[in-house]
Each structure stands twice: as C-alpha cells, then as structure tokens.
Amino acid sequence: METLRSLLPPINSLVVFESAGRLSSFTAAARELNMTQAAVSYAIGRLEDHLGTALFLREYRRVRLSEAGRHFHTDVSIGLQHIQRSVQDLRAVATGSHVTLSCSTAFAAFWMVPRMAKFREELPQVDLRIQTADRDLDLVGEGIPLGIRGGVPGDWPHYHAEALAPEEIYPVCGAGYLSRVTEPPHAADLLAHRLIHLEEPFRSAATWVDWFASAGIDGRRVPKGLQINDYVLVVQSVIEGQGVALGWRHLTEGLVEKGVLVRLTDHSLVTGMNFHVVWPKDVPLSGAAQEVRDWLLDQRHAAPGRG
C-alpha cells in the first residue's frame, strides 16, 4: 500500500504547476516564481513523470493544460489556497493579532461594517476576521474566540455572555415607498400595506404576527407577502421600495438616521431579550481577542460611524 509520502509529489512542483497552469505559460510562471524557464520546464516534467500522465499540451510558442491537467489543476489550486490561508492564520495567531468574530451576515453588514473605520482607528494592531454563517457556530469546535448571539444566556451554559444590544423591533420602509403610499399612522394601518416577511431558517426571530400581537392586533389578520430567508435581502428589498419589513433597531438605526430607511408608527416590540457578545468559558481569550470583546461592548452607547 502506497504511503501518502510516496504518493504525493514534492510541494515545490505543485507550486510551479499551479502557476504555469494559471498563466498558461512556463515563461510567465518563471517570472512570477523568480526561476528560470528551464527550471519550470524541468519541474513540470518531473511532476508528469511522477503522475504518469501529460499535464500540458506543448504547442508552438505556448502551452495549455491537458484534460487531465485541468482537473488536477483545480484540485491543486484549492489545496494550495487552503494551505496558504492556514499558514496566514497561524502566523497571525502566533503574533497575537488575529481575531475571528462569528456573526450573522446581517450583523456584519449593518452593525460591523459601519463601524469598521472606527475599529481600524482604535485597534490598528488587530487583524479582525469576520466569519458569517446562517446559524450559530460551535465556537470551540471551530476554533473561534468570539461570537454574536441573540437570546438568553442560560441557553449557552458553556459560554460567557455580555449584552450588546436589546432586541427592539419596529416597522421600516424605504423613502421611495412613501412617495407612492400614505404613511400609516397606526399599527393597524399596516395591515393594508405590502409586508415583507423574514423566514429565518435556523435562528429564532420575531415575525409580523408577533409584532402585531404586541400591538393588540389579531395575528390572523396579517397579510401574506414577499417572504425572504436572508435579512440582508429583506433590508435591500425595503430600500428598493418593495414594501414594509420589521427593523431590528441595533441593525437599522443607522440607516434610519441617514434617511435610507423610514421608521413607521410609534409602536415597538421589545422582547426583553438581548444580543450578546459570547466567548467560550473553557478557552482563554488572547490579548487581542479581549481587546476586540471590550471594543464591541464599548459600542453599546455609540452610534454607527461616530466616536
């Protein structure tokens, strides 16, 4: 049985092959890798001998990947990219500057991005990596120090949790939408409007039925409308004037202040729950991760983009 060591070709030949295949040129690969053209050609030849198949078709003044070469190049490129990313991550961790934050796409887009200039200004030494997912990740299993979660800390016994923002929900629409309809002064008036529904597939989220119920309105009267399973797309649809959606205050307040979104009615659904910064109890935070956690919590009373 062949061992992995005997089966795999030298890593240098794979690097040369990736470059030559991507550039469709031994000469260009030689320039990129600071090698001679003859050295590139020799490395490719040795690799083809090792694999027992031609990876390139040699034509007049050009080379191109063979069919086998194309398949192999795809796999080699993916593998080298993963290795490169892992090396970069390990080096960043070794210097203590690398911190990953796990959160929803909506939190990343509407809470983090507006504050990134301030983050870079105040923590320039930290290499922040935002990892979005459609569900709450196992931070320990994924090797992630910090996360953002909505709910009750008692449901996460293996995590420390500090409240970042209360859950407050109110209706929002785009400014263009109000140019075509009369602004609804009361909660009940929204029953006659086009409602956009968030169909959250994994995380628990309040619905229009919940919001109307909090205003004393029978949920059975809530009209069906456009249903979207991604909150970023919900907000984009609202901005484009497609209808009215629920706005989570900590995500939409900056857009409301800028006039991109308009808050409708004075009624809010306050669930009594919070969104939290969480981190594992059994894994000590690096100094950089502690700085990021403290910075996030310091933003509780700061508006997006402000000092």
Side-chain angles (χ1 to χ4, degrees):
M1 181 177 178
E2 291 182 295
T3 65
L4 185 62
R5 181 176 181 181
S6 64
L7 183 63
L8 290 181
I11 184 67
N12 183 63
S13 66
L14 296 178
V15 172
V16 173
F17 169 66
E18 187 281 328
S19 178
R22 172 167 43 83
L23 300 172
S24 296
S25 169
F26 289 0
T27 302
R31 285 196 298 267
E32 180 176 85
L33 300 173
N34 195 29
M35 300 170 63
T36 65
Q37 192 273 345
V40 168
S41 181
Y42 177 76
I44 297 297
R46 289 288 302 274
L47 179 60
E48 291 175 323
D49 290 343
H50 181 90
L51 298 174
T53 188
L55 299 173
F56 288 91
L57 301 178
R58 277 78 165 172
E59 300 174 347
Y60 180 67
R61 291 188 175 179
R62 66 188 292 259
V63 295
R64 59 186 177 90
L65 289 166
S66 65
E67 183 176 356
R70 285 197 302 272
H71 291 297
F72 190 53
H73 191 269
T74 298
D75 291 337
V76 168
S77 298
I78 292 172
L80 291 178
Q81 287 169 6
H82 282 304
I83 293 171
Q84 180 185 34
R85 185 158 54 246
S86 293
V87 169
Q88 290 171 337
D89 289 348
L90 288 171
R91 284 180 173 176
V93 170
T95 63
S97 65
H98 176 91
V99 178
T100 298
L101 173 68
S102 171
C103 60
S104 68
T105 304
F107 186 87
F110 302 129
W111 199 97
M112 278 302 304
V113 169
R115 294 171 170 82
M116 282 309 301
K118 183 180 181 184
F119 179 90
R120 287 192 293 267
E121 178 183 344
E122 297 182 357
L123 295 179
Q125 74 282 6
V126 175
D127 175 21
L128 181 65
R129 179 181 183 186
I130 300 174
Q131 182 166 330
T132 62
D134 58 8
R135 67 190 75 194
D136 293 329
L137 300 179
D138 174 2
L139 300 186
V140 175
E142 297 287 340
I144 298 172
L146 299 171
I148 304 295
R149 290 191 179 182
V152 180
D155 292 337
W156 320 311
H158 303 297
Y159 294 93
H160 295 291
E162 285 286 341
L164 179 64
E167 185 172 41
E168 179 183 353
I169 305 164
Y170 48 69
V172 292
C173 71
Y177 181 75
L178 289 182
S179 68
R180 304 191 302 273
V181 302
T182 301
E183 182 171 351
H186 306 295
D189 298 322
L190 283 170
L191 292 170
H193 285 256
R194 295 200 304 264
L195 303 184
I196 300 174
H197 300 259
L198 171 63
E199 296 252 311
E200 178 59 66
F202 299 109
R203 296 181 176 97
S204 176
T207 66
W208 271 113
V209 171
D210 298 323
W211 186 85
F212 277 110
S214 71
I217 299 169
D218 188 347
R220 291 174 294 183
R221 298 173 58 194
V222 178
K224 297 292 184 182
L226 179 61
Q227 301 176 44
I228 304 176
N229 67 354
D230 185 314
Y231 192 62
V232 173
L233 297 180
V234 168
V235 173
Q236 185 61 40
S237 297
V238 172
I239 293 173
E240 295 296 330
Q242 300 302 315
V244 181
L246 294 174
W248 273 256
R249 180 175 180 175
H250 69 291
L251 300 180
T252 59
E253 61 182 340
L255 295 173
V256 171
E257 288 183 2
K258 294 175 182 176
V260 177
L261 295 179
V262 178
R263 175 178 177 174
L264 301 177
T265 81
D266 293 328
H267 179 69
S268 288
L269 167 58
V270 179
T271 67
M273 293 192 294
N274 294 282
F275 291 87
H276 302 80
V277 180
V278 301
W279 63 99
K281 288 182 177 179
D282 297 331
V283 181
L285 290 178
S286 68
Q290 292 179 41
E291 289 182 303
V292 173
R293 177 200 60 193
D294 295 343
W295 183 90
L296 289 167
L297 295 173
D298 285 345
Q299 307 312 301
R300 285 178 287 197
H301 306 295
R306 295 180 182 176

